[in-house]
Amino acid sequence: MTGFAVVGADHLHVFSIVAGLVGAGARPVAHAELGDLVAGYASWQAGSEARTYDDILDSDDVDLVVTVGVPAERADVAIAAIEAGKHVVSAKPGVTTRSSLDRLRGVLAGRPGRPWTVLFTERFENRAVARAVKMAREGAIGEVVHVIGTGPHTLGADSRPEWFWDPARSGGILVDLASHQIDQFVALCGTDVLGGGVEVASARVGNVSCPDHPAMQDVGSLTLLAPGAVGDHRVDLLSPSGLPTWGDVRLVVIGTEGTLEARANVDVAGADGGEHLILTDQTGVRRVDVSSDPVTWAVDLLADVDDGGERLMTQDHVLTVCDLALRAQEQASSWGIS
Amino acid sequence: MTGFAVVGADHLHVFSIVAGLVGAGARPVAHAELGDLVAGYASWQAGSEARTYDDILDSDDVDLVVTVGVPAERADVAIAAIEAGKHVVSAKPGVTTRSSLDRLRGVLAGRPGRPWTVLFTERFENRAVARAVKMAREGAIGEVVHVIGTGPHTLGADSRPEWFWDPARSGGILVDLASHQIDQFVALCGTDVLGGGVEVASARVGNVSCPDHPAMQDVGSLTLLAPGAVGDHRVDLLSPSGLPTWGDVRLVVIGTEGTLEARANVDVAGADGGEHLILTDQTGVRRVDVSSDPVTWAVDLLADVDDGGERLMTQDHVLTVCDLALRAQEQASSWGIS
């Protein structure tokens, strides 16, 4: 049975990731650096033991390190774990600087499988987005021509930690949020584009609603190019408070023979619930029922840890997505005409 | 009573434009160069007389020239009419080359009002799009931050005229189709941006489904920038045949305090009919009923012809939109990574 340790928890994503792993049969062994969440975590996962990170790195009963700390600190956690021969699953973003990505590439070189996983939950935990990608890859809409991916979020200013307001610690809005959209675009384009087949054509970031935090980025966009395909993506922290969820996340895929539209969390002024998928093709318009699709990221991840496989995604996919997110952030110009 | 003449009719838009004008009280006086549509037109508008264009230019009973000919020929029709002291209403695109636009600017210089109108029907004939723009301008969603405008169309290869396949005659897909999205973005940004306040950040065109017509452009995108706002736009000729209309045209406007989404022609897998508008703001999500909004373009146009006003739009708006469409087309790179 795979044993895991949680190292760093500055985001509530820790609960969904751990719940997934435990549900798939992994054993919570240890935890470190959980900050204010330590008491809640320790009572929730009573079998998990407080250890230092150094002890965790030396622990034979820890196969997998889960890191959900401050984004800028996750890469160092991951690098140390990989150097110690362990697997890592990181909340997104997995890495916030180019130098950290280079160091990650270094420690990953020669290691089989996918020691470093970044969990792009907007696809791996959403049945509508996952199915849209799967159907597009299987040719349900012909060749993929254009993708529009939008990831609006609630600002939630009152409940945000200090790092949230500092792009140097969050990675910036494109690294922090748009990595989901980049993951989806890369997945839609197929494995041929991994390792350099996708380009960042342009990117922008801005601050339109947070005057008290001048460095903050609350809106961002980027255009990605692949052979035969263009992807226009937007993320923001502008979800209106009247929206009954944190964000009206959409993925629209235009193919030569049809279109797919995933409405991940809400179908505004439409059907109830989340995970909506609408297919329009030569035969008509219909909703695709994804409600019984299994969410398999944790099962796949644990199988990959066990045998060095790449069921969930490849190491190359993780590196490609993170590289593109950093490129977009690095070359982002200011929002609109300044 | 305003008398009008139709000069050139290579697109069925002629029927909707003439129906609008007649409905608003204008009188069909003459027609020229209607091609295959002449018999149908003459029997429909029995009061209209066949004349040469030279005669029409000399006719005192013609105040307004309507041109719906081959796109590349519309500017010359308009220039001659304006030089003859008449008003012009053109189907979009009104102009397909930079040199024609420069000549139009020349003949318009010093003329009051708006002698040259290009009718951007996706806004002026669609209540949902029109109301979205109006509400955004009135501050219903705070400051406009991001716009996504998509104009997919049915290819309809069997019923297209020869010029349709030749970008030199259609103007190219950004000039021909995206001028609607540019019109909407410029209108959303307000009159302050007219005459140079909007920039084309990037543009792309491609041919993904018409191998028999190598020069054809069946997909295009462009990003526009304005102070504080970014607009990402896509047009295509890829609407799936199973869609119950010619295109799932959308306009999504993200503001600092809410979002507006117009689904112009169809609410896929949703409510019946066209002209859907969904507002999400601080108080909730709701559909805005636009069904009783009047469509006033023809009434406004005739009043403008009558008194030199600019109710429908300003001359500066027309010139700004056409200039941006040409810029986008001129600087368009190839689709995706080639």
Side-chain angles (χ1 to χ4, degrees):
Chain A
M1 183 186 278
T2 304
F4 70 87
V6 178
V7 181
D10 255 60
H11 196 292
L12 296 178
H13 278 160
V14 67
F15 292 106
S16 60
I17 294 177
V18 167
L21 292 173
V22 170
R27 191 163 61 94
V29 170
H31 56 267
E33 304 170 14
L34 297 196
D36 294 345
L37 296 177
V38 66
Y41 184 80
S43 64
W44 179 45
Q45 298 297 341
S48 180
E49 180 178 275
R51 297 182 196 166
T52 67
Y53 190 32
D54 281 343
D55 285 344
I56 286 170
L57 293 173
D58 286 336
S59 300
D60 288 338
D61 57 352
V62 173
D63 308 291
L64 175 66
V65 169
V66 179
T67 179
V68 199
V70 176
E73 298 169 7
R74 290 175 195 164
D76 279 348
V77 170
I79 288 165
I82 294 163
E83 284 180 327
K86 303 193 184 305
H87 281 71
V88 174
V89 59
S90 172
K92 65 79 213 167
V95 55
T96 60
T97 66
R98 172 69 48 192
S99 62
S100 291
L101 183 62
D102 290 342
R103 288 167 57 221
L104 276 156
R105 283 190 199 278
V107 298
L108 290 166
R111 277 280 296 267
R114 187 191 65 253
W116 183 48
T117 301
V118 179
L119 197 62
F120 304 107
T121 47
E122 286 183 19
R123 176 162 65 107
F124 290 113
E125 291 194 338
N126 191 285
R127 293 170 182 83
V129 172
R131 182 81 88 91
V133 172
K134 183 168 183 286
M135 289 178 69
R137 289 302 305 152
E138 291 173 351
I141 56 170
E143 297 292 316
V144 171
V145 173
H146 195 216
V147 176
I148 295 181
T150 51
H153 291 69
T154 307
L155 181 62
D158 296 343
S159 61
R160 295 291 189 174
E162 197 188 328
W163 62 259
F164 175 79
W165 305 102
D166 179 6
R169 301 181 78 202
S170 74
I173 194 166
L174 298 179
V175 161
D176 189 18
L177 300 185
S179 52
H180 290 296
Q181 280 64 44
I182 297 169
D183 160 66
Q184 292 161 37
F185 183 77
V186 170
L188 283 162
C189 291
T191 53
D192 288 352
V193 303
L194 295 177
V198 176
E199 294 174 4
V200 178
S202 64
R204 291 179 177 78
V205 296
N207 178 351
V208 299
S209 74
C210 301
D212 294 343
H213 300 277
M216 183 63 186
Q217 298 166 358
D218 59 8
V219 65
S221 68
L222 76 157
T223 297
L224 296 176
L225 307 181
V230 173
D232 289 310
H233 309 281
R234 174 178 51 77
V235 288
D236 67 48
L237 291 156
L238 300 171
S239 287
S241 54
L243 190 75
T245 177
W246 55 265
D248 181 2
V249 170
R250 307 256 190 123
L251 173 65
V252 177
V253 190
I254 308 298
T256 49
E257 294 169 29
T259 65
L260 285 159
E261 178 173 356
R263 300 176 184 169
N265 303 327
V266 63
D267 181 17
V268 285
D272 290 339
E275 301 183 319
H276 308 270
L277 179 59
I278 299 167
L279 169 67
T280 305
D281 62 13
Q282 314 298 339
T283 64
V285 179
R286 59 193 181 279
R287 286 180 184 260
V288 178
D289 181 2
V290 301
S291 61
S292 57
D293 287 8
V295 171
T296 62
W297 69 261
V299 170
D300 290 344
L301 174 66
L302 294 180
D304 289 343
V305 170
D306 198 45
D307 68 4
E310 296 185 292
R311 296 166 185 80
L312 180 58
M313 60 187 125
T314 63
Q315 189 65 76
D316 208 1
H317 179 88
V318 179
L319 289 167
T320 297
V321 172
C322 292
D323 174 62
L324 289 167
L326 288 170
R327 280 180 202 274
Q329 193 77 49
E330 287 157 6
Q331 72 183 64
S333 50
S334 60
W335 193 252
I337 298 174
S338 51
Chain B
M1 184 186 275
T2 303
F4 71 87
V6 178
V7 181
D10 255 62
H11 196 293
L12 296 177
H13 278 158
V14 68
F15 293 106
S16 60
I17 294 177
V18 168
L21 292 173
V22 170
R27 191 162 62 92
V29 169
H31 56 267
E33 304 170 15
L34 298 196
D36 294 345
L37 296 176
V38 66
Y41 184 79
S43 65
W44 178 46
Q45 298 297 340
S48 182
E49 181 178 274
R51 297 182 197 167
T52 67
Y53 190 31
D54 281 344
D55 285 344
I56 285 170
L57 293 174
D58 285 338
S59 299
D60 289 338
D61 57 353
V62 173
D63 307 292
L64 175 67
V65 169
V66 179
T67 181
V68 199
V70 176
E73 298 169 7
R74 291 175 194 163
D76 280 348
V77 172
I79 288 165
I82 293 163
E83 284 179 328
K86 304 194 184 304
H87 282 71
V88 174
V89 60
S90 172
K92 66 78 214 166
V95 56
T96 60
T97 65
R98 172 69 47 193
S99 62
S100 291
L101 182 63
D102 290 343
R103 289 167 57 221
L104 275 156
R105 283 189 199 279
V107 298
L108 289 166
R111 278 279 297 266
R114 188 192 63 253
W116 183 50
T117 300
V118 179
L119 197 61
F120 304 107
T121 47
E122 286 184 20
R123 175 161 65 106
F124 289 114
E125 290 195 337
N126 191 286
R127 294 170 181 84
V129 172
R131 182 81 87 90
V133 171
K134 182 169 185 283
M135 288 178 69
R137 289 302 305 152
E138 291 173 352
I141 55 169
E143 297 293 316
V144 171
V145 173
H146 195 216
V147 176
I148 295 181
T150 53
H153 291 68
T154 307
L155 181 63
D158 296 342
S159 61
R160 295 291 189 175
E162 198 189 328
W163 62 257
F164 176 79
W165 305 101
D166 179 5
R169 300 180 79 201
S170 74
I173 195 167
L174 298 178
V175 161
D176 189 19
L177 300 186
S179 53
H180 290 296
Q181 279 64 44
I182 297 169
D183 160 66
Q184 293 161 35
F185 183 76
V186 170
L188 282 162
C189 292
T191 53
D192 287 353
V193 303
L194 295 176
V198 175
E199 294 174 6
V200 179
S202 64
R204 291 180 177 78
V205 296
N207 179 352
V208 299
S209 74
C210 301
D212 294 342
H213 300 276
M216 182 63 187
Q217 298 167 358
D218 60 8
V219 64
S221 68
L222 75 157
T223 298
L224 296 176
L225 307 181
V230 173
D232 289 310
H233 309 281
R234 174 178 50 78
V235 288
D236 67 49
L237 291 156
L238 301 172
S239 288
S241 53
L243 191 75
T245 178
W246 55 266
D248 181 3
V249 170
R250 308 255 189 123
L251 174 64
V252 177
V253 190
I254 307 298
T256 49
E257 294 170 29
T259 66
L260 284 159
E261 178 173 357
R263 300 175 183 169
N265 303 328
V266 62
D267 181 17
V268 285
D272 291 338
E275 301 184 319
H276 308 270
L277 180 59
I278 299 167
L279 169 67
T280 306
D281 62 12
Q282 314 299 337
T283 64
V285 179
R286 59 194 180 278
R287 286 179 184 261
V288 178
D289 181 3
V290 301
S291 60
S292 57
D293 287 9
V295 171
T296 63
W297 70 260
V299 170
D300 290 343
L301 173 67
L302 294 180
D304 289 343
V305 170
D306 198 46
D307 68 3
E310 296 185 292
R311 296 165 184 82
L312 180 57
M313 61 187 122
T314 64
Q315 190 64 75
D316 208 2
H317 179 87
V318 178
L319 290 166
T320 298
V321 172
C322 292
D323 174 62
L324 288 167
L326 288 169
R327 281 180 200 274
Q329 194 76 49
E330 288 157 4
Q331 72 183 64
S333 50
S334 60
W335 192 252
I337 297 174
S338 52

